[in-house]
Amino acid sequence: MKNTHQTLSAFLTAAALSTLLTACGSDFLPQGKEITQIELMRTLAVDAGEGGLTGVTAAGGVRSDPDGGDAGPRWC
């Protein structure tokens, strides 16, 4: 009986949240934007800092072609 009660409670909670989140007006969510530029991140570093802070450093860019041209991003 307890398992049925938990399942019913979970289902009703999910149904209520789904209704609330999908019934919001268009002014509730931010306006969508088209992606105009995508950059491949080549290096991502996470460093533990002082006082429990964490630093994140990301480096991206276009890989150079050995012939001097632009080889474009490299996908792994």
Side-chain angles (χ1 to χ4, degrees), residues 53-69:
L53 298 176
T54 302
V56 178
T57 304
V62 177
R63 153 177 81 95
S64 298
D65 189 10
D67 298 327

Side-chain angles (χ1 to χ4, degrees), residues 3 10 34 53:
N3 192 15
E34 181 142 354
L53 298 176

